[in-house]
Amino acid sequence: MSSSQSVRSVARAIAILQAMNRQPVSTVDMLHLQTLLPKPTIVRLLRTLEDLHLVRHAPQHGAYYLTSEVRSLSTGYHSEPQIVEAAMSLMDAMTLKVKWPMAIAVFEDNAVVVRYSTIPLSPLALLHSSINMRLSLASRALGRAYLAFCDNEEQEIILDALALSSNAEDAPARDRVTFQELLRDIRSNGFATRSRTVRPVSQTIAVPILVQNRVVATVGLTFFSSVLTDKKAIATYLADLQELARNVSTRLQQLNHSAKDKAISDMNKGLKRQK
């Protein structure tokens, strides 16, 4: 292999990593559009990066995400892929057990956005995919769970923004008094459900993922309304869902501690080399 080819290979690998840093989960098609690299080249590079533990293959066909190992590059790693890494195997295991699809979402610009789902593992999913789907904070279970567990100052700021929203699903937030009562009930009960006016064919139960009393994401389970009542679903799945959220929180804190320990270790190594 010539030196020019070697340099080009490195440049292509960096282009892939930079593109993957723009979204929590990437598909080959997405990377092709963003980098203009041939798909076979992208697949080969992804496999190489996977061998180096910088990238991990998600259950979705052709989907990949960055791992915490990219910290060794001092770039490309942020909270959202860390949340996916902490939650993915736990969500996969629960869906394989109960069959219903699950999703995890994070706050973004007055909505929550799905960053990982177990739809490919579920025989009972209504959608082909929900990754990167934006969901209302006022009507969707994953959004309501986030908003209900925000601190008061953040919640007030978001409610001010939702009051000006033209999105029909944000309409419940315009009746501030009634909606805040709903949020208090959600916080007291420990879970949220979707508004019955949105996709009544199914329902979602969602709970917050808290790290040091701060909501960092929400995770939910979706089921057919014709198969389960809300009461039955809550009695059957809520405890497991809440346990999953606690376990994700624990994993996130462990990942954060590992990152700090590695940063300290790298700093100490650098100081030794300077001596």
Side-chain angles (χ1 to χ4, degrees):
M1 183 179 290
S2 70
S3 60
S4 62
Q5 287 176 317
S6 299
V7 170
R8 186 172 62 180
S9 297
V10 171
R12 287 177 167 182
I14 291 173
I16 292 292
L17 289 172
Q18 288 175 329
M20 293 184 73
N21 188 47
R22 299 186 190 111
Q23 59 266 334
V25 179
S26 302
T27 66
V28 172
D29 286 339
M30 291 166 64
L31 294 174
H32 172 65
L33 291 173
Q34 292 170 359
T35 66
L36 302 180
L37 293 174
K39 290 183 181 180
T41 299
I42 292 172
V43 172
R44 287 196 300 271
L45 288 170
L46 286 170
R47 287 174 179 168
T48 299
L49 293 170
E50 191 173 10
D51 289 341
L52 295 170
H53 308 294
L54 297 170
V55 166
R56 188 168 296 166
H57 189 213
Q60 290 88 348
H61 177 68
Y64 297 81
Y65 65 95
L66 296 174
T67 73
S68 56
E69 190 63 25
V70 296
R71 285 194 303 263
S72 64
L73 306 177
S74 300
T75 186
Y77 192 74
H78 48 84
S79 62
E80 291 184 14
Q82 191 178 59
I83 288 169
V84 171
E85 181 176 354
M88 189 178 78
S89 63
L90 297 172
M91 294 169 62
D92 290 352
M94 185 165 174
T95 289
L96 289 172
K97 177 182 176 182
V98 305
K99 308 306 179 188
W100 298 112
M102 302 182 67
I104 190 167
V106 297
F107 178 75
E108 181 182 291
D109 192 22
N110 296 324
V112 292
V113 180
V114 175
R115 292 314 192 194
Y116 181 74
S117 85
T118 63
I119 283 176
L121 300 178
S122 172
L124 303 173
L126 288 170
L127 302 174
H128 292 297
S129 174
S130 62
I131 289 180
N132 294 329
M133 183 179 291
R134 291 179 60 81
L135 302 174
S136 168
L137 295 168
S139 294
R140 302 294 185 124
L142 288 163
R144 287 175 167 184
Y146 181 90
L147 189 54
F149 284 85
C150 285
D151 63 52
N152 291 336
E153 184 178 359
E154 182 182 3
Q155 188 180 98
E156 289 294 330
I157 293 170
I158 293 173
L159 287 173
D160 287 342
L162 292 178
L164 303 174
S165 172
S166 59
N167 183 350
E169 289 191 19
D170 291 341
R174 294 173 196 147
D175 183 347
R176 188 115 165 191
V177 174
T178 301
F179 189 63
Q180 285 184 308
E181 288 178 2
L182 172 65
L183 295 178
R184 284 192 290 271
D185 287 343
I186 291 170
R187 188 161 188 141
S188 175
N189 293 331
F191 69 93
T193 56
R194 190 195 313 152
S195 169
R196 295 187 182 278
T197 63
V198 179
R199 293 182 61 82
V201 68
S202 64
Q203 179 59 285
T204 297
I205 308 168
V207 299
I209 296 172
L210 302 170
V211 175
Q212 298 178 346
N213 295 319
R214 183 176 68 88
V215 57
V216 297
T218 56
V219 61
L221 177 145
T222 299
F223 56 92
F224 296 153
S225 300
S226 59
V227 174
L228 291 172
T229 63
D230 292 5
K231 184 176 181 180
K232 177 66 174 177
I234 291 164
T236 304
Y237 301 118
L238 178 59
D240 287 342
L241 192 60
Q242 290 174 326
E243 182 181 6
L244 183 147
R246 288 192 294 271
N247 289 336
V248 173
S249 176
T250 299
R251 286 189 174 188
L252 280 170
Q253 292 178 79
Q254 290 171 344
L255 286 170
N256 285 330
H257 288 318
S258 296
K260 290 178 182 177
D261 291 344
K262 190 174 188 305
I264 292 171
S265 175
D266 290 346
M267 180 181 68
N268 289 334
K269 289 178 182 177
L271 291 174
K272 288 180 180 178
R273 284 195 295 269
Q274 291 174 13
K275 290 181 179 179

